[in-house]
């Protein structure tokens, strides 16, 4: 049975956070609905807390963050915790791509490649609060960001609106809409680290990821352009896998755990499909994730370790990211070579278009991955 919690009318509240970079205080906005609390910091449009009860009714934060939210402004302490990464999440080979006959050079920040759009990434920028509201069924927050032409090397002025909505049924939805004034490439993600146990590592948690194929990696973790079947491999997570049973496998030794992109079959603008379920048997909490995106990058916090968390240093594998989005190195690909033929890749947006990245996370209790409904 689910814990019986008071469910007051949805609401929001604001508190100030002093930022470590010496900039003006930021407004932390907490959304309340259905007995849950989701808190968002305009710095990075970062989800810094999603509090939910365990089977005994004890509230705890299921999102990995720093002890002081203001420290998120320190890149040395913040490995993209909870923020919206953009304009292009994950890696771009050679920190360059060609678009409409023009060779575009980007900031290289991981060897010769670009990772998470370089130092100008959206999750290291302060967003503006556009609106806050609450009604009988939900509370919501909208934030806006303008990415200038040439920021990080990316062409075009991109206007972005991110809206978090917390519903009474325990679902948090994030809708990111974006437009541009010049052809460019845009593929954002939410880089939230989940830990349903609210402490320690995620090794004892169980993951179901509905994906039949995973991208093959080459040098520098850049995809080769091929998608491989997961059946019978360490990458097969389709049936309730305890992470502890996989993280130490030799097949994952090069990356220290999962740091791989799965194709989940969504398409921008389509209805949300269930792609993943995370369950913590110890607390009884479960997380169901839906998205309209074609890929999910699974990252098991392999490089976490020592950051100051609310309960002490965050350990390696202290959180798991399920980064919905497009494929890494998409600007340099026209298609993925899949087992059943080519899978088109389209990450270019042009003036007059509005694109939507949508993902929802529903926190529940004592659910089983077998209950994941058909997509």
């Amino acid at each position: 049975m689910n814990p019986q919690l008071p469910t007051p009318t949805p609401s929001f509240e604001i508190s100030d956070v002093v930022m470590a970079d010496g900039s003006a205080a930021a407004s932390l906005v907490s959304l309340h609905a259905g007995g849950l609390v989701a808190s968002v910091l305009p710095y990075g449009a970062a989800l810094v807390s999603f509090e939910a009860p365990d089977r005994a009714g004890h509230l705890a934060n299921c999102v990995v963050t720093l002890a002081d939210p203001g420290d998120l402004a320190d890149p040395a302490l913040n490995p993209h915790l909870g923020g919206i990464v953009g304009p292009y999440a994950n890696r771009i080979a050679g920190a360059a791509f060609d678009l409409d006959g023009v060779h575009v050079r980007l900031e290289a920040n991981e060897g010769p490649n670009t990772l998470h759009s370089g130092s100008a990434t959206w999750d290291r920028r302060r967003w503006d609060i556009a609106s806050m509201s609450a009604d009988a069924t939900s509370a919501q927050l909208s934030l806006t960001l303008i990415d200038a032409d040439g920021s990080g090397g990316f062409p075009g002025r991109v206007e972005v609106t991110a809206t978090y909505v917390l519903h009474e049924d325990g679902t948090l939805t994030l809708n990111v809409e974006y437009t541009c004034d010049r052809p460019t490439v845009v593929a954002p993600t939410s880089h939230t680290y989940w830990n349903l146990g609210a402490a320690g590592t995620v090794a004892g948690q169980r993951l179901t990821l509905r994906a039949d194929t995973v991208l093959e990696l080459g040098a520098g973790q850049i995809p080769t352009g091929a998608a491989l079947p997961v059946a019978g491999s360490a990458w097969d997570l389709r049936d309730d896998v305890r992470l502890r049973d996989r993280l130490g496998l030799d097949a994952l030794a090069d990356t220290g755990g999962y740091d791989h992109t799965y194709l989940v079959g969504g398409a921008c603008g389509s209805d949300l499909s269930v792609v993943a379920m995370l369950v913590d048997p110890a607390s009884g909490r479960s997380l169901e994730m839906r998205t309209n995106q074609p890929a999910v990058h699974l990252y098991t916090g392999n490089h976490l370790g020592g950051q100051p968390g609310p309960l002490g240093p965050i350990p390696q594998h202290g959180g798991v990211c399920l980064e919905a989005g497009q494929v890494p190195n998409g600007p340099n690909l026209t298609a993925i070579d899949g087992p059943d033929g080519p899978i088109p890749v389209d990450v270019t947006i042009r003036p007059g278009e509005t694109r939507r990245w949508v993902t929802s996370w529903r926190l529940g209790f004592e659910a089983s991955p077998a209950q994941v409904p058909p997509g």
Side-chain angles (χ1 to χ4, degrees):
M1 296 178 62
N2 290 355
Q4 297 300 308
L5 296 172
T7 55
T9 302
S11 63
F12 60 87
E13 61 180 334
I14 306 170
S15 57
D16 288 338
V17 172
V18 177
M19 302 307 296
D21 61 0
S23 61
S27 297
L28 179 69
V29 180
S30 296
L31 306 175
H32 298 254
L36 308 183
V37 185
S39 298
V40 178
L41 189 69
Y43 183 86
L47 179 66
V48 298
S49 179
F50 195 2
E51 296 180 48
D54 60 14
R55 62 169 61 90
H58 300 130
L59 281 173
N61 184 10
C62 298
V63 167
V64 179
T65 193
L66 300 178
D68 183 349
D71 285 340
L72 291 172
D74 183 350
L77 295 177
N78 177 16
H80 307 284
L81 293 169
I84 297 178
V85 172
Y88 207 95
N90 218 296
R91 295 171 173 87
I92 296 177
F97 60 92
D98 293 329
L99 178 60
D100 294 342
V102 176
H103 189 64
V104 178
R105 294 292 309 177
L106 306 175
E107 175 190 351
N109 65 328
E110 189 184 59
N113 306 318
T114 297
L115 174 64
H116 292 327
S117 304
S119 60
T121 176
W122 295 351
D123 71 304
R124 302 209 191 280
R125 307 261 299 279
R126 187 184 290 242
W127 296 53
D128 294 320
I129 295 177
S131 65
M132 295 171 282
S133 63
D135 58 26
T137 61
S138 65
Q140 71 175 52
L141 165 69
S142 289
L143 306 121
T144 58
L145 179 73
I146 294 178
D147 211 14
D149 183 11
S151 178
F154 289 88
R157 180 180 189 269
V158 178
E159 297 186 8
V160 193
T161 300
T163 301
Y164 286 91
V165 183
L166 180 60
H167 304 268
E168 281 198 311
D169 68 352
T171 299
L172 178 66
T173 301
L174 175 56
N175 180 6
V176 182
E177 294 191 355
Y178 45 94
T179 60
C180 64
D181 68 350
R182 289 176 56 194
T184 189
V185 297
V186 182
T189 196
S190 168
H191 207 284
T192 300
Y193 291 74
W194 298 97
N195 186 334
L196 301 186
T201 78
V202 295
Q205 295 173 35
R206 309 185 73 92
L207 177 64
T208 298
L209 183 57
R210 182 182 290 130
D212 296 331
T213 53
V214 64
L215 297 190
E216 181 182 54
L217 295 180
Q221 292 181 253
I222 300 295
T224 65
L228 306 176
V230 300
S233 75
W235 292 273
D236 191 345
L237 297 163
R238 294 175 295 178
D239 188 19
D240 184 25
V241 173
R242 186 174 63 169
L243 290 173
R244 176 180 293 114
D245 297 337
R246 296 290 182 82
L247 291 176
L249 293 180
D250 289 344
L252 302 178
D254 288 347
T255 50
Y258 288 102
D259 196 355
H260 298 80
T261 302
Y262 290 78
L263 301 183
V264 295
C268 293
S270 67
D271 293 336
L272 300 191
S273 299
V274 177
V275 296
M277 177 76 85
L278 184 67
V279 174
D280 178 40
S283 69
R285 295 187 186 96
S286 67
L287 178 76
E288 178 191 88
M289 175 175 162
R290 296 173 179 260
T291 189
N292 71 340
Q293 296 297 291
V296 170
H297 187 83
L298 172 63
Y299 175 58
T300 48
N302 313 325
H303 300 294
L304 290 176
Q307 295 87 357
L311 301 177
I314 300 170
Q316 183 186 35
H317 305 312
V320 56
C321 297
L322 296 161
E323 305 165 42
Q326 293 284 345
V327 298
N329 201 33
N332 290 308
L333 299 171
T334 57
I336 296 292
D337 183 16
D340 299 319
I343 302 168
V345 174
D346 177 16
V347 296
T348 301
I349 181 172
R350 300 183 181 278
E353 290 185 73
T354 298
R355 293 206 178 176
R356 298 171 65 245
W357 177 104
V358 188
T359 297
S360 71
W361 306 275
R362 182 175 181 177
L363 280 167
F365 317 91
E366 299 184 335
S368 164
Q371 294 174 336
V372 176

